[in-house]
PDB file of all heavy atoms in Angstrom:
ATOM      1  N   ASP X 175      14.721 -10.028   3.410  1.00 97.00           N
ATOM      2  CA  ASP X 175      15.899 -10.508   4.127  1.00 97.00           C
ATOM      3  C   ASP X 175      16.368  -9.584   5.241  1.00 97.00           C
ATOM      4  O   ASP X 175      17.342  -9.874   5.926  1.00 97.00           O
ATOM      5  CB  ASP X 175      17.051 -10.772   3.155  1.00 97.00           C
ATOM      6  CG  ASP X 175      17.452  -9.532   2.354  1.00 97.00           C
ATOM      7  OD1 ASP X 175      16.890  -8.433   2.598  1.00 97.00           O
ATOM      8  OD2 ASP X 175      18.327  -9.659   1.477  1.00 97.00           O
ATOM      9  N   ARG X 176      15.681  -8.449   5.419  1.00 98.00           N
ATOM     10  CA  ARG X 176      16.001  -7.504   6.489  1.00 98.00           C
ATOM     11  C   ARG X 176      14.735  -7.135   7.237  1.00 98.00           C
ATOM     12  O   ARG X 176      13.637  -7.260   6.705  1.00 98.00           O
ATOM     13  CB  ARG X 176      16.631  -6.238   5.923  1.00 98.00           C
ATOM     14  CG  ARG X 176      18.035  -6.413   5.323  1.00 98.00           C
ATOM     15  CD  ARG X 176      18.314  -5.323   4.294  1.00 98.00           C
ATOM     16  NE  ARG X 176      17.464  -5.479   3.132  1.00 98.00           N
ATOM     17  CZ  ARG X 176      16.955  -4.465   2.420  1.00 98.00           C
ATOM     18  NH1 ARG X 176      17.203  -3.211   2.779  1.00 98.00           N
ATOM     19  NH2 ARG X 176      16.193  -4.700   1.362  1.00 98.00           N
ATOM     20  N   VAL X 177      14.896  -6.702   8.467  1.00 98.00           N
ATOM     21  CA  VAL X 177      13.768  -6.275   9.275  1.00 98.00           C
ATOM     22  C   VAL X 177      14.094  -4.917   9.890  1.00 98.00           C
ATOM     23  O   VAL X 177      15.267  -4.611  10.173  1.00 98.00           O
ATOM     24  CB  VAL X 177      13.433  -7.316  10.370  1.00 98.00           C
ATOM     25  CG1 VAL X 177      14.561  -7.422  11.397  1.00 98.00           C
ATOM     26  CG2 VAL X 177      12.117  -6.999  11.045  1.00 98.00           C
ATOM     27  N   VAL X 178      13.065  -4.106  10.080  1.00 98.00           N
ATOM     28  CA  VAL X 178      13.230  -2.763  10.631  1.00 98.00           C
ATOM     29  C   VAL X 178      12.825  -2.777  12.098  1.00 98.00           C
ATOM     30  O   VAL X 178      11.681  -3.118  12.434  1.00 98.00           O
ATOM     31  CB  VAL X 178      12.375  -1.741   9.859  1.00 98.00           C
ATOM     32  CG1 VAL X 178      12.520  -0.349  10.463  1.00 98.00           C
ATOM     33  CG2 VAL X 178      12.778  -1.725   8.376  1.00 98.00           C
ATOM     34  N   ASP X 179      13.755  -2.425  12.973  1.00 98.00           N
ATOM     35  CA  ASP X 179      13.428  -2.242  14.388  1.00 98.00           C
ATOM     36  C   ASP X 179      12.873  -0.833  14.583  1.00 98.00           C
ATOM     37  O   ASP X 179      13.369   0.131  13.982  1.00 98.00           O
ATOM     38  CB  ASP X 179      14.672  -2.424  15.254  1.00 98.00           C
ATOM     39  CG  ASP X 179      15.159  -3.855  15.279  1.00 98.00           C
ATOM     40  OD1 ASP X 179      14.329  -4.779  15.177  1.00 98.00           O
ATOM     41  OD2 ASP X 179      16.396  -4.057  15.375  1.00 98.00           O
ATOM     42  N   THR X 180      11.857  -0.705  15.438  1.00 98.00           N
ATOM     43  CA  THR X 180      11.205   0.579  15.638  1.00 98.00           C
ATOM     44  C   THR X 180      11.118   0.934  17.120  1.00 98.00           C
ATOM     45  O   THR X 180      11.274   0.074  17.993  1.00 98.00           O
ATOM     46  CB  THR X 180       9.786   0.571  15.048  1.00 98.00           C
ATOM     47  OG1 THR X 180       8.991  -0.429  15.720  1.00 98.00           O
ATOM     48  CG2 THR X 180       9.806   0.271  13.556  1.00 98.00           C
ATOM     49  N   ASP X 181      10.852   2.209  17.367  1.00 97.00           N
ATOM     50  CA  ASP X 181      10.623   2.659  18.740  1.00 97.00           C
ATOM     51  C   ASP X 181       9.134   2.542  19.073  1.00 97.00           C
ATOM     52  O   ASP X 181       8.355   1.953  18.314  1.00 97.00           O
ATOM     53  CB  ASP X 181      11.153   4.081  18.942  1.00 97.00           C
ATOM     54  CG  ASP X 181      10.431   5.127  18.082  1.00 97.00           C
ATOM     55  OD1 ASP X 181       9.327   4.843  17.552  1.00 97.00           O
ATOM     56  OD2 ASP X 181      10.976   6.241  17.940  1.00 97.00           O
ATOM     57  N   GLU X 182       8.743   3.112  20.220  1.00 96.00           N
ATOM     58  CA  GLU X 182       7.363   2.958  20.674  1.00 96.00           C
ATOM     59  C   GLU X 182       6.364   3.681  19.773  1.00 96.00           C
ATOM     60  O   GLU X 182       5.158   3.417  19.825  1.00 96.00           O
ATOM     61  CB  GLU X 182       7.222   3.458  22.121  1.00 96.00           C
ATOM     62  CG  GLU X 182       7.425   4.959  22.319  1.00 96.00           C
ATOM     63  CD  GLU X 182       8.897   5.352  22.348  1.00 96.00           C
ATOM     64  OE1 GLU X 182       9.765   4.446  22.265  1.00 96.00           O
ATOM     65  OE2 GLU X 182       9.168   6.567  22.458  1.00 96.00           O
ATOM     66  N   ARG X 183       6.857   4.575  18.915  1.00 96.00           N
ATOM     67  CA  ARG X 183       5.961   5.282  17.981  1.00 96.00           C
ATOM     68  C   ARG X 183       5.911   4.589  16.622  1.00 96.00           C
ATOM     69  O   ARG X 183       5.312   5.115  15.696  1.00 96.00           O
ATOM     70  CB  ARG X 183       6.427   6.728  17.789  1.00 96.00           C
ATOM     71  CG  ARG X 183       6.447   7.580  19.050  1.00 96.00           C
ATOM     72  CD  ARG X 183       7.113   8.915  18.760  1.00 96.00           C
ATOM     73  NE  ARG X 183       8.502   8.707  18.307  1.00 96.00           N
ATOM     74  CZ  ARG X 183       9.223   9.636  17.673  1.00 96.00           C
ATOM     75  NH1 ARG X 183       8.685  10.822  17.400  1.00 96.00           N
ATOM     76  NH2 ARG X 183      10.471   9.375  17.311  1.00 96.00           N
TER      77      ARG X 183
END
Side-chain angles (χ1 to χ4, degrees):
D175 59 4
R176 292 156 293 145
V177 66
V178 178
D179 291 328
T180 61
D181 63 16
E182 67 281 357
R183 299 172 300 163

